[in-house]
Amino acid sequence: MDLELSTADIAFRDDLREVFLGEVPADIRRRSALNQTTHDDIVTSQRILNRHGLAVPHWPAAWGGKGWTATQSHIYGSELQRAAVPQPLAFNVSMVGPIIAEFGTEEQKQKFLPATANLDIWWSQGFSEPEAGSDLASLKTTARRDGDHYVLNGQKTWTTLGQHGDWMFVLARTDTHAERKQQGISFLLLDLTTPGIERRPIRLVDGSAEVNEFFFDDVVIPAENLVGEENKGWTYAKFLLGNERNSIAQVGTAQRIYADLAAAAAGTDTGTGTLANDPAFRGSMHSLKTRLIALEATQLRVTGASENGQASPVSSLLKMEGTQALQDLTRLRMTAAGTDGALVSADGDLVADPAASASTTQYLNLRKLSIFGGSNEIQRGVIAKTILGL
């Protein structure tokens, strides 16, 4: 595969850099690089991108899409991550937006898509449950049809950034007697101000509370908020999960962390030289560099294979290997930081190099990557079945 950019693609890349580096405030990008992005940072940066037509380039042209080639899409994602621009909210632009654009009614498109692109609506994902995580088809939340509405009962958990949510796209069981567990599931849009909803934060190992659990008690959802056909939600979920796995890999982010790691290793004195000169550490870095090159090539394959509207099964490979690379990178970055990775003052202000001080938190936070979006163990099963034919 030829990974060299053409003259036209280089010009395209440079135009993107003008927006990413020239329009998105430096303080937002700095917080993003340290994994300290705020709610307002995400909203501000996405609205800047939307003004420049860069929030939802993969959507249909009628709703803001750009009709880019696979290579251009790859450049966009990589440059966004390398510049540490907060990613457009994945729940909006990579998940519910494409589903509504593909399967929603005209009324749903008009109502939701412009607001979703501009982050006027913050969407939350209502998929995982206490007994239905990687095995999502085992979900037990029900939506019973009652005239012109559905009545929702059940629980969702691990809802990332759900504390900010205005609306939620929910998978719920609408046919409890279906022969297979993948059948009888529907895709519904829920206004989170509706009575009967309780949300609770879940405290994580790094001290944050970015995930939540939701409880639904006879929550009324208008039938007009059903996306597509009733009982066909699993088909839409598979389409969505392929997009999610592509974004989880974050190859551009991994390349940015690698550059920071290389600089830190070159500047860390070990007493006999620098960390970059340590044979074992240098060997680990070279191994990761090779893996990142392979991941970039794989990402191009996945992007190209997904152009027909169907998620490529190779997205499972990309998700699995990409998340492992990020975890290995942050482990090495924490090693390079040494004791500086634990230095904070009593009021929470960083008292060491900010990147070093943030490395431990980032390492802990990214342990989740091999679990969400379908655990890496599940991805191995998908690869065995759909790619290897086992």
Side-chain angles (χ1 to χ4, degrees):
M1 177 176 289
D2 183 6
L3 297 180
E4 295 297 325
L5 298 181
S6 68
T7 301
D9 285 334
I10 290 173
F12 173 80
R13 181 200 63 190
D14 291 345
D15 287 343
L16 292 177
R17 288 179 176 178
E18 286 187 14
V19 176
F20 297 162
L21 301 175
E23 299 292 333
V24 179
D27 61 326
I28 290 180
R29 292 187 287 108
R30 183 166 52 250
R31 285 190 292 271
S32 177
L34 296 174
N35 203 35
Q36 297 168 354
T37 308
T38 68
H39 166 275
D40 289 347
D41 289 344
I42 295 171
V43 173
T44 297
S45 60
Q46 182 160 332
R47 288 178 178 170
I48 290 171
L49 294 178
N50 199 42
R51 285 203 305 271
H52 290 273
L54 296 174
V56 290
H58 56 292
W59 284 14
W63 301 104
K66 308 295 285 187
W68 287 340
T69 65
T71 299
Q72 289 173 321
S73 296
H74 166 74
I75 294 170
Y76 166 82
S78 295
E79 290 298 322
L80 190 78
Q81 293 167 6
R82 285 170 175 162
V85 173
Q87 300 253 7
L89 189 66
F91 310 114
N92 284 38
V93 304
S94 299
M95 298 184 187
V96 73
I99 293 293
I100 293 174
E102 181 73 19
F103 304 106
T105 64
E106 187 61 31
E107 290 74 16
Q108 289 171 341
K109 295 174 184 178
Q110 294 286 348
K111 178 178 180 180
F112 292 114
L113 290 182
T116 296
N118 202 50
L119 204 44
D120 298 327
I121 296 174
W122 185 297
W123 286 94
S124 295
Q125 183 182 25
F127 279 20
S128 294
E129 299 182 4
E131 298 181 9
S134 294
D135 185 19
L136 184 57
S138 297
L139 64 87
K140 292 183 173 60
T141 296
T142 61
R144 175 178 54 83
R145 183 70 183 257
D146 184 9
D148 61 356
H149 62 268
Y150 291 90
V151 180
L152 185 72
N153 283 282
Q155 179 185 357
K156 296 294 180 180
T157 193
W158 307 123
T159 308
T160 303
L161 301 179
Q163 67 269 32
H164 304 310
D166 302 308
W167 282 73
M168 174 181 283
F169 49 98
V170 181
L171 284 184
R173 197 165 295 284
T174 44
D175 181 357
T176 58
H177 302 293
E179 292 184 6
R180 299 176 65 245
K181 62 183 181 181
Q182 290 85 356
Q183 299 172 334
I185 295 173
S186 295
F187 194 101
L188 298 161
L189 308 178
L190 170 62
D191 183 344
L192 289 175
T193 63
T194 306
I197 301 173
E198 179 184 0
R199 61 179 117 186
R200 301 176 188 169
I202 300 173
R203 186 70 61 181
L204 299 181
V205 68
D206 68 351
S208 69
E210 68 174 17
V211 293
N212 303 261
E213 54 186 345
F214 283 75
F215 299 86
F216 309 111
D217 183 12
D218 288 339
V219 177
V220 175
I221 303 178
E224 66 192 34
N225 287 359
L226 170 72
V227 176
E229 298 180 46
E230 188 173 270
N231 300 326
K232 297 294 185 181
W234 186 248
T235 299
Y236 312 144
K238 289 192 296 182
F239 176 90
L240 180 155
L241 287 170
N243 290 336
E244 181 183 25
R245 288 165 190 158
N246 290 350
S247 63
I248 290 172
Q250 300 181 53
V251 177
T253 298
Q255 291 166 331
R256 174 170 50 80
I257 294 174
Y258 183 90
D260 175 62
L261 171 64
T268 301
D269 186 5
T270 63
T272 58
T274 66
L275 190 58
N277 292 327
D278 178 81
F281 197 88
R282 186 172 68 247
S284 296
M285 288 189 62
H286 284 320
S287 175
L288 273 166
K289 182 64 174 178
T290 302
R291 288 163 61 190
L292 292 182
I293 292 171
L295 276 169
E296 186 172 22
T298 303
Q299 189 172 56
L300 280 169
R301 288 170 56 203
V302 171
T303 304
S306 300
E307 286 190 322
N308 61 2
Q310 300 296 318
S312 168
V314 183
S315 63
S316 291
L317 176 64
L318 183 64
K319 188 269 179 182
M320 185 176 70
E321 293 298 326
T323 56
Q324 186 63 59
L326 277 167
Q327 290 177 339
D328 291 345
L329 271 167
T330 54
R331 175 181 55 80
L332 278 181
R333 183 64 185 90
M334 186 174 64
T335 299
T339 55
D340 283 353
L343 291 178
V344 293
S345 63
D347 60 4
D349 291 333
L350 301 176
V351 295
D353 173 67
S357 298
S359 63
T360 300
T361 299
Q362 189 174 44
Y363 167 82
L364 291 171
N365 185 273
L366 294 187
R367 297 303 93 193
K368 67 191 178 186
L369 292 183
S370 50
I371 299 173
F372 73 44
S375 73
N376 285 0
E377 288 76 13
I378 292 293
Q379 302 315 313
R380 290 184 178 93
V382 173
I383 291 166
K385 180 179 179 180
T386 62
I387 298 178
L388 302 179
L390 300 178

